[in-house]
Amino acid sequence: EPEVTQTPSHQVTQMGQEVILRCVPISNHLYFYWYRQILGQKVEFLVSFYNNEISEKSEIFDDQFSVERPDGSNFTLKIRSTKLEDSAMYFCASSERRLQETQYFGPGTRLLVL
Amino acid sequence: GENVEQHPSTLSVQEGDSAVIKCTYSDSASNYFPWYKQELGKGPQLIIDIRSNVGEKKDQRIAVTLNKTAKHFSLHITETQPEDSAVYFCAASPYGGSQGNLIFGKGTKLSVKP
């Protein structure tokens, strides 16, 4: 069964450093999403992406965040200058269509900012 | 914007009993409501979803009901098994599905005791 994959599974970085989280969505899916989950809290929407541009972003997704689809398979989330409060689990998701469509989540990348 | 409330935060049942988790949402335009199961260290996995043109949906031991008037929806698990132990999240898709992002509840930690 096709699945969303994410790398790395864990990332430890120093405050102020840049990190890139990588995702490979399901191959025939057209819509891509990033969510984050701070330990013990709810999953929060960050950004959605379609046709090589951002469709929607939340208040969390400020100027330090960016997304990119550098090739036909990868979807990345970059955090330019990490802060302590960026420590969280980051999930990538993809869906075949946007409207009322099932989103399939990857296993997540646990980011720890020291 | 959309807000999703989920109750209870923890639920403990004996194996074989039923479990019910309830969610309410605020945006009457939301029309897609998935339920995700998250096991420790893994990403959310869709277990069932319902769209606003349907009042109830069932898949083996799992069922979801939707009351659009009251803006609440519920997950019902019958004949619970130890492997049902996990955190369950409800979600809603706001703006009547014109946007793809999901707004999640805070989660319910279900423990099924053998």
Side-chain angles (χ1 to χ4, degrees):
Chain A
E1 185 175 327
E3 58 183 19
V4 176
T5 59
Q6 290 185 244
T7 54
S9 59
H10 295 78
Q11 174 102 39
V12 181
T13 190
Q14 294 291 323
M15 188 171 59
Q17 295 296 305
E18 175 183 287
V19 295
I20 297 176
L21 310 183
R22 291 181 169 80
C23 167
V24 178
I26 295 173
S27 61
N28 64 331
H29 287 187
L30 301 177
Y31 295 89
F32 314 118
Y33 312 85
W34 282 102
Y35 292 82
R36 80 170 185 190
Q37 184 180 31
I38 295 172
L39 189 63
Q41 298 187 24
K42 66 168 73 176
V43 178
E44 300 173 290
F45 168 75
L46 293 177
V47 66
S48 59
F49 190 87
Y50 169 70
N51 199 26
N52 284 319
E53 61 183 22
I54 291 174
S55 301
E56 189 187 9
K57 58 184 180 180
S58 71
E59 296 174 348
I60 303 168
F61 194 87
D62 61 23
D63 292 343
Q64 70 163 339
F65 290 94
S66 62
V67 289
E68 190 179 29
R69 187 154 165 84
D71 53 44
S73 60
N74 290 283
F75 179 49
T76 62
L77 174 69
K78 181 191 290 185
I79 310 175
R80 290 190 185 82
S81 179
T82 50
K83 304 172 188 172
L84 297 177
E85 53 265 36
D86 293 329
S87 295
M89 182 74 94
Y90 288 82
F91 293 107
C92 173
S94 70
S95 64
E96 190 171 355
R97 300 186 301 268
R98 176 189 284 175
L99 300 183
Q100 303 181 19
E101 188 63 32
T102 299
Q103 292 185 24
Y104 295 89
F105 282 73
T109 293
R110 183 169 294 284
L111 176 65
L112 178 61
V113 182
L114 301 176
Chain B
E2 174 66 281
N3 183 50
V4 177
E5 298 289 337
Q6 183 172 347
H7 299 279
S9 56
T10 60
L11 179 59
S12 182
V13 299
Q14 287 295 132
E15 182 178 0
D17 288 350
S18 295
V20 180
I21 302 171
K22 298 182 179 181
C23 288
T24 60
Y25 60 99
S26 60
D27 189 346
S28 56
S30 289
N31 60 4
Y32 175 63
F33 308 94
W35 285 89
Y36 285 86
K37 175 184 181 182
Q38 186 178 29
E39 297 175 329
L40 197 62
K42 297 184 179 180
Q45 299 295 311
L46 180 80
I47 55 171
I48 196 167
D49 57 13
I50 192 167
R51 290 168 174 78
S52 59
N53 59 344
V54 175
E56 184 174 356
K57 185 176 178 180
K58 197 172 182 180
D59 182 4
Q60 299 182 347
R61 297 186 297 109
I62 296 173
V64 57
T65 59
L66 171 64
N67 184 327
K68 286 179 60 181
T69 303
K71 288 189 280 189
H72 68 70
F73 56 113
S74 301
L75 177 71
H76 304 252
I77 305 174
T78 59
E79 301 172 23
T80 53
Q81 301 167 2
E83 50 266 37
D84 294 330
S85 296
V87 178
Y88 291 80
F89 291 95
C90 63
S93 184
Y95 315 124
S98 62
Q99 303 293 336
N101 58 296
L102 298 173
I103 305 300
F104 283 83
K106 289 189 175 181
T108 296
K109 184 175 182 180
L110 174 64
S111 299
V112 180
K113 298 180 179 179

